[in-house]
Amino acid sequence: MKHIIFLLALLCSMSAGAQKKREFRGAWIQCVNGQFLNLGTERMQQTLSYQLDELQKDGGNAIIFQVRPECDALYASQIEPWSRFLTGQQGRAPQPYWDPLQWMIEQCHARGMELHAWINPYRAKTKTTTALATNHIAIRKPQSCFEYDGLMILNPGLPENRDYICTVVRDIVSRYDIDGLHMDDYFYPYPVAGQPIPDDAAYQMYPNGITNKGDWRRHNVNLFVKQLYQTVHETKPWVKVGISPFGIYRNKKNSPIGSNTNGLQNYDDLYADILLWVNNGWMDYCVPQLYWEIGHKAADYDTLIKWWNQYASNRPLFIGEDVERTVNNADPKNPNQHQMHAKHLLHQQMKHVNGTVLWYAKAAVDNIGNYGTMLRQQYWRTPALQPKMTFIDGKCPGKPRKLKPIWTEDGYVLFWTAPSGKSWKDQAVKYVVYKFAKGEKININDATKIQCITTNTFYRLPYQDGQQKYTYVITALNRLQNESKQVKKKVKL
């Protein structure tokens, strides 16, 4: 019996460290915590470069970068003012001048990472902002907003606000080479006891034949999410739309399909019917914020990851992980270690979970609880492609051409040329380099054989003495990382 228990434990340990070939490995980089305030251009770029370098070493392949926290912009916009979270004063351009979104796109792409632009759709003012620029929407059109608990919110009940947000989104998607457009959990404001949402006038003006106020609010957000999804894909079909909702959809006491939890609810409290959006295909990936620990009394992580795996599988499902809470809580089954290992075991066991987004990037970069080291040494130790999204596009590019090793001034280099392509669906934008030792079976499904994922059409070979034989395999990826057929070349290193 002891031998069986040992083998089961060993298998669990191995599965936790198994490498997936396709997996979303993201991290949120937020600005509302003030981490960039008064840094200036050079120091902010240095800070971001360091974070990106460390996340790349950790195995990350996507960054979700906050660019619109309060109807403002961390990018060059003709519609909304520069963010105070960038320059300290809303409406003031950075000096020396730069465009953080454009810079981040270039930096992420150079590291083989995707860049998803993160917007907060309705929030027009955070609690800590005291002055708004003259071209801010709340100054230009104060009737479009309402105040709530120190915030200003674009009223979701007004059709003009849906159109306005989609105009901003179309501007971002059309002008920037982003890979995704991302929203988090701020739809209607988080409820505060004794403070009703002041939207009676909008309800009377645009009731849409709905007699229940909660249903009306959900309808407003549903209309917006559908319109935003259509706006993004009409502008650039390959740009992914991701939403990161609060971690509880509904509690079981309020719905037969609710989770066995007792906390704030997307559906009832934030008026966000996330399952409707998933099942109607109004989003391309879902990242529920499961920030609690395993064993939490009101919102057990174990309960919630299983719930989302069961009910939200119609679109790719990634899990929002709180790094600090993970490492600050002991594994209930092994009190001598924190919960990172146990949570990754749960990920491996969930059929529909195929990715993680870290809250937040700096916590992983700072390596609290050895989290970053464990990513790079175990859980994310080999590169990973993005999960497939064949509902957007299932076409593959042609395979690379003219693969040839050449001696250069910089050493032994493997060169190839891009396949021909007529549209975004069959154009190659990246390449995967695999390496196999003599006698090894060529199997590109083995993630441990991936050497790199690169935008280059060359790869510097690690030449030693020319005595060892290897086979290199190159494939091409299109914008959605659909993979071409392979080409291969034998070399002596």
Side-chain angles (χ1 to χ4, degrees):
M1 188 67 182
K2 289 182 179 179
H3 294 296
I4 295 174
I5 294 173
F6 173 78
L7 286 172
L8 287 173
L10 181 62
L11 287 171
C12 286
S13 176
M14 290 172 63
S15 67
Q19 302 300 296
K20 290 185 176 181
K21 179 176 174 177
R22 290 185 179 270
E23 186 176 33
F24 192 90
R25 300 172 177 177
W28 282 289
I29 296 182
Q30 82 277 41
C31 65
V32 290
N33 64 344
Q35 66 172 318
F36 305 128
L37 275 174
N38 302 316
L39 283 185
T41 300
E42 184 177 358
R43 285 181 60 205
M44 183 171 170
Q45 289 179 353
Q46 289 172 349
T47 299
L48 287 168
S49 292
Y50 175 72
Q51 291 188 10
L52 294 179
D53 286 343
E54 292 303 299
L55 290 165
Q56 182 185 23
K57 294 172 187 174
D58 289 343
N61 61 16
I63 298 297
I64 299 175
F65 181 56
Q66 190 173 29
V67 300
R68 184 183 183 263
E70 50 179 2
C71 293
D72 54 357
L74 275 83
Y75 62 94
S77 173
Q78 296 298 313
I79 303 172
E80 296 184 314
W82 283 102
S83 175
R84 80 167 183 89
F85 293 107
L86 176 65
T87 65
Q89 178 184 333
Q90 192 177 92
R92 184 169 67 191
Q95 294 295 333
Y97 182 85
W98 69 307
D99 185 325
L101 175 56
Q102 180 60 36
W103 187 88
M104 282 290 286
I105 291 168
E106 293 168 359
Q107 294 295 315
C108 287
H109 288 178
R111 292 168 172 83
M113 297 174 169
E114 289 194 343
L115 189 285
H116 294 227
W118 164 19
I119 69 165
N120 300 91
Y122 294 116
R123 187 172 62 199
K125 187 188 81 67
T126 60
K127 292 183 180 181
T128 57
T129 296
T130 57
L132 299 175
T134 56
N135 62 330
H136 189 275
I137 184 69
I139 299 298
R140 292 189 292 108
K141 295 185 176 181
Q143 72 280 1
S144 68
C145 305
F146 60 74
E147 294 187 27
Y148 189 84
D149 189 37
L151 305 170
M152 293 193 73
I153 306 293
L154 284 177
N155 193 332
L158 301 178
E160 66 190 67
N161 285 338
R162 295 195 290 272
D163 293 339
Y164 173 72
I165 299 165
C166 288
T167 296
V168 171
V169 166
R170 189 183 299 276
D171 176 60
I172 294 171
V173 175
S174 64
R175 292 195 296 119
Y176 292 92
D177 188 21
I178 59 174
D179 301 288
L181 192 286
H182 184 89
M183 296 187 296
D184 56 2
D185 52 327
Y186 292 102
F187 296 99
Y188 274 87
Y190 275 62
V192 177
Q195 294 192 34
I197 296 173
D199 58 356
D200 287 346
Y203 184 35
Q204 293 172 7
M205 192 178 302
Y206 302 104
N208 290 314
I210 302 171
T211 57
N212 178 278
K213 193 77 166 290
D215 289 341
W216 175 73
R217 288 171 178 162
R218 278 183 288 274
H219 180 67
N220 294 332
V221 183
N222 293 340
L223 290 175
F224 162 68
V225 170
K226 182 179 180 180
Q227 183 177 343
L228 177 134
Y229 186 80
Q230 292 172 340
T231 297
V232 171
H233 283 280
E234 286 170 2
T235 308
K236 287 180 180 174
W238 60 85
V239 174
K240 307 165 188 176
V241 175
I243 299 177
S244 178
F246 182 73
I248 299 173
Y249 175 67
R250 301 191 82 183
N251 298 311
K252 182 163 285 187
K253 65 182 179 183
N254 296 108
S255 169
I257 67 164
S259 54
N260 189 21
T261 51
N262 184 26
L264 187 89
Q265 304 163 97
N266 276 291
Y267 184 92
D268 304 82
D269 302 313
L270 302 177
Y271 306 100
D273 192 353
I274 188 74
L275 287 192
L276 180 72
W277 312 339
V278 166
N279 291 325
N280 283 352
W282 297 344
M283 56 196 294
D284 298 316
Y285 67 88
C286 180
V287 192
Q289 297 171 21
L290 304 192
Y291 290 168
W292 303 277
E293 64 271 15
I294 298 170
H296 189 281
K297 291 181 180 180
D300 179 19
Y301 181 96
D302 183 284
T303 297
L304 283 166
I305 193 172
K306 291 173 180 175
W307 188 93
W308 286 96
N309 180 68
Q310 179 178 354
Y311 289 101
S313 62
N314 279 358
R315 280 294 183 263
L317 176 63
F318 317 139
I319 302 300
E321 298 279 2
D322 186 316
V323 174
E324 291 187 7
R325 199 173 289 195
T326 297
V327 301
N328 288 337
N329 285 278
D331 181 349
K333 295 181 180 179
N334 188 350
N336 294 321
Q337 65 183 28
H338 58 58
Q339 294 193 357
M340 184 180 188
H341 181 75
K343 286 185 174 182
H344 273 271
L345 272 177
L346 285 170
H347 277 241
Q348 295 292 333
Q349 294 163 7
M350 299 300 111
K351 178 181 178 181
H352 301 296
V353 171
N354 199 18
T356 306
V357 183
L358 306 178
W359 178 257
Y360 46 99
K362 188 177 183 298
V365 168
D366 289 346
N367 200 27
I368 62 173
N370 222 29
Y371 198 99
T373 298
M374 291 297 291
L375 287 178
R376 68 181 67 180
Q377 292 183 354
Q378 186 171 356
Y379 302 112
W380 292 356
R381 69 177 182 270
T382 62
L385 284 68
Q386 296 294 339
K388 290 183 178 181
M389 294 187 178
T390 54
F391 49 87
I392 301 177
D393 168 46
K395 189 173 182 179
C396 298
K399 61 186 179 183
R401 301 178 299 155
K402 300 178 182 179
L403 180 62
K404 187 176 182 180
I406 298 175
W407 279 101
T408 73
E409 294 179 348
D410 295 324
Y412 205 22
V413 181
L414 195 59
F415 288 95
W416 60 88
T417 58
S420 58
K422 296 180 180 179
S423 72
W424 69 269
K425 293 184 177 183
D426 56 12
Q427 288 176 344
V429 296
K430 291 181 181 178
Y431 303 90
V432 188
V433 179
Y434 303 85
K435 179 182 179 182
F436 298 90
K438 181 182 179 181
E440 281 188 321
K441 182 180 179 181
I442 305 299
N443 176 18
I444 64 171
N445 291 319
D446 184 350
T448 66
K449 302 303 178 183
I450 299 175
Q451 303 303 295
C452 72
I453 301 168
T454 179
T455 57
N456 297 325
T457 54
F458 62 87
Y459 177 77
R460 185 173 297 173
L461 294 165
Y463 184 83
Q464 292 181 329
D465 56 11
Q467 300 300 309
Q468 303 298 321
K469 293 181 179 180
Y470 296 94
T471 299
Y472 277 82
V473 173
I474 314 295
T475 59
L477 304 175
N478 68 1
R479 282 189 173 270
L480 284 175
Q481 299 208 355
N482 295 326
E483 190 172 20
S484 74
K485 294 180 179 179
Q486 63 194 42
V487 292
K488 60 184 179 180
K489 181 66 66 174
K490 293 182 178 179
V491 295
K492 290 182 179 180
L493 302 178

